[in-house]
Amino acid sequence: MTESSVQSALWPAPHATGAVEATVTVPGSKSVTNRALVLAALAAEPGWLRRPLRSRDTLLMADALRAMGVGIEETIPSSSQTSRGMGDSGQAATTGEAWRIIPAGLHGPAEIGVGNAGTVMRFLPPVAALADGPVHFDGDPRSYERPLGVVIEALRTLGARIDDENRGCLPLTVHGGGALDGGRVEIDASASSQFVSSLLLSAPRYNQGVEVRHVGPVLPSMPHIRMTVDMLRAVGAQVDEPETGGERNVWRVTSGAVLGRDLTVEPDLSNAQPFLAAALVTGGRVTIPDWPTRTTQPGDALRSLFTRMGGSCGIVSTPDGTALTFAGSGRVHGIDADLSEVGELTPGIAAVAALADSPSTLRGVAHLRLHETDRLAALTKEINELGGDVTETADGLVIRPRPLHGGVFHTYDDHRMATAGAVLGLVVPGIGIENVGTTAKTLPDFPRMWTGMLAGPDAGPDAGSDAGTADGSGPGAGAGA
């Protein structure tokens, strides 16, 4: 790509001229949607998934399950029923949208494209081991670099036949035999909690169930494992795990039927982060409808983290359920935080920390080097090139606030880098975000949602309609805007 084509793809990050005041409806959780799809595909009866996230990662999951024989019927309401805060592009999750999942005998041959979705590349090989026939997995170039060897070797231990030409990563082929013995397996899941979740999700369908024993350093992102366990129990699976009296670092799932169920997906709380950050850095107020009072989502930690950084929040009852209202104080404070359980929040917290009145230390996130990109290196480089002072440590970042200036903020095809850049742009004029379209991975129509938020609570239904599309095109796009 030439320099001129890169420049023409820049999305000019909107600059806030005052305190942000808005209500923003966030689409459904990617983590819940993709886990629910897997469990529904393995069920003994049809199920429903209501208000699922419609994004690149979830559509890749749905298409992959269809390729192995699962029926997924989508019901999408008319545009008049579109969720608050979302555009009418057809990409947005909608209030009345529902998917009916109809289980069937899993089969190959099948070709599955995982994109760069960790949940797809890790959750589906264990499912494919139950298929009758070969299932081939491939993905984006970055997916070849993301660790998968732990899942591959674990499945071989449990009886699966997998051809990866000894790479320990994509591309690979699972030669399904229609069933899998299962049993006991030891893994080092310190690089990703998805290694544990991937084996647990399919375990009820294995002849002997599964016992997963983690034998490595501290596990990251424990809330995601809690989410997996809760969702397994909700469909009738028997799970023994450490947090309810089980053996430390051991998860056991008993073989048995998986029940079809009717599930309404919670909003993706991690995707609420940039909007809450907008209130914090501008001294404004943002309300997120449907914030759950109990959840396993890591994003719920934003309430305490952003409060420590200078904001205040509360969950209130509304006629439609509950909502979180978050308010900034006009000042942003630095933070010393162990983010090992909520690593996906690091890019957004780093962006806010770069705008704070004191230094920050973010710890416990060495595993982010293996995410969509090396997030620690990317954040260090991009904030520093805007005039910041970020130092990468063995397991995190030290951020010393400095006056920032405009420039190009590169995303490295990482959705959370893009939203972090947008947060910086609220305070720092002249930031152009390269490939804002990568937000479609989990937050469809982000540019329209962002400009709609800035239009304020009294904006009409077309607020944000001139924001440009997710690929950076449209009115106002380009380096000269």
Side-chain angles (χ1 to χ4, degrees), residues 97-446:
E97 180 165 359
W99 295 353
R100 184 169 184 251
I101 297 91
I102 306 166
L106 300 171
H107 63 76
E111 295 284 336
I112 291 178
V114 309
N116 191 21
T119 52
V120 182
M121 71 179 72
R122 292 168 181 153
F123 291 0
L124 288 189
V127 175
L130 294 165
D132 185 6
V135 180
H136 182 70
F137 291 83
D138 207 340
D140 296 349
R142 171 63 178 172
S143 72
Y144 293 7
E145 302 171 13
R146 300 186 69 181
L148 194 57
V150 171
V151 176
I152 294 169
E153 291 306 315
L155 287 172
R156 286 174 175 151
T157 299
L158 298 174
R161 186 162 68 93
I162 301 175
D163 178 13
D164 68 333
E165 297 183 357
N166 297 316
R167 286 184 298 265
C169 60
L170 293 172
L172 61 85
T173 300
V174 179
H175 298 276
L180 196 71
D181 286 341
R184 300 179 60 182
V185 64
E186 291 187 351
I187 65 172
D188 178 355
S190 57
S192 175
S193 66
Q194 289 179 355
F195 297 160
V196 175
S197 290
S198 69
L199 299 170
L200 299 184
L201 287 168
S202 293
R205 288 285 306 273
Y206 294 170
N207 295 337
Q208 301 174 35
V210 166
E211 176 185 300
V212 179
R213 184 177 297 267
H214 168 61
V215 294
V218 176
L219 273 167
S221 305
M222 281 299 298
H224 281 127
I225 297 179
R226 296 183 194 115
M227 178 185 293
T228 298
V229 170
D230 276 9
M231 294 183 70
L232 278 163
R233 287 173 171 159
V235 296
Q238 181 178 335
V239 185
D240 178 51
E241 46 87 27
E243 296 190 343
T244 53
E247 187 177 351
R248 184 173 181 268
N249 286 335
V250 177
W251 292 262
R252 297 183 180 91
V253 179
T254 303
S255 179
V258 175
L259 306 177
R261 64 167 298 193
D262 191 320
L263 173 69
T264 299
V265 179
E266 299 171 350
D268 194 314
L269 306 188
S270 295
N271 277 343
Q273 181 180 37
F275 305 101
L276 300 180
L280 181 56
V281 303
T282 68
R285 181 183 301 269
V286 168
T287 296
I288 309 292
D290 303 317
W291 195 283
T293 55
R294 178 191 175 277
T295 182
T296 54
Q297 289 193 60
D300 195 43
L302 288 167
R303 291 189 292 148
S304 60
L305 288 166
F306 277 172
T307 296
R308 290 172 59 192
M309 298 187 81
S312 61
C313 67
I315 295 179
V316 298
S317 296
T318 70
D320 299 321
T322 58
L324 175 75
T325 296
F326 185 88
S329 63
R331 296 191 64 183
V332 180
H333 308 310
I335 190 172
D336 186 326
D338 181 345
L339 301 180
S340 58
E341 291 207 345
V342 294
E344 64 193 50
L345 305 180
T346 303
I349 293 173
V352 172
L355 303 171
D357 58 12
S358 57
S360 295
T361 300
L362 310 182
R363 296 175 285 105
V365 289
H367 60 286
L368 295 189
R369 294 187 172 96
L370 301 173
H371 278 217
E372 282 81 349
T373 188
D374 180 340
R375 285 177 170 166
L376 300 184
L379 287 164
T380 300
K381 179 177 182 293
E382 297 308 312
I383 295 175
N384 285 351
E385 289 192 351
L386 298 179
D389 183 357
V390 181
T391 302
E392 190 174 346
T393 66
D395 73 337
L397 300 171
V398 174
I399 302 168
R400 304 171 188 84
R402 298 285 186 269
L404 301 181
H405 55 73
V408 176
F409 193 92
H410 299 90
T411 66
Y412 308 90
D413 296 324
D414 187 329
H415 55 131
R416 301 208 191 279
M417 288 294 295
T419 54
V423 170
L424 291 170
L426 291 175
V427 177
V428 183
I431 291 179
I433 297 177
E434 169 266 334
N435 188 20
V436 74
T438 193
T439 54
K441 177 180 173 67
T442 60
L443 191 54
D445 215 14
F446 171 74

Side-chain angles (χ1 to χ4, degrees), residues 41-111:
L42 297 175
E45 56 192 345
W48 285 92
L49 192 55
R50 303 186 189 277
R51 297 181 68 177
L53 174 65
R54 174 177 288 273
S55 72
R56 187 187 187 212
D57 279 16
T58 59
L59 294 177
L60 284 167
M61 180 68 83
D63 288 345
L65 292 170
R66 287 189 180 106
M68 289 189 282
V70 178
I72 301 178
E73 299 174 351
E74 302 178 20
T75 301
I76 304 175
S78 65
S79 59
S80 63
Q81 295 172 279
T82 302
S83 288
R84 295 161 291 174
M86 300 298 289
D88 58 0
S89 66
Q91 296 177 324
T94 49
T95 301
E97 180 165 359
W99 295 353
R100 184 169 184 251
I101 297 91
I102 306 166
L106 300 171
H107 63 76
E111 295 284 336

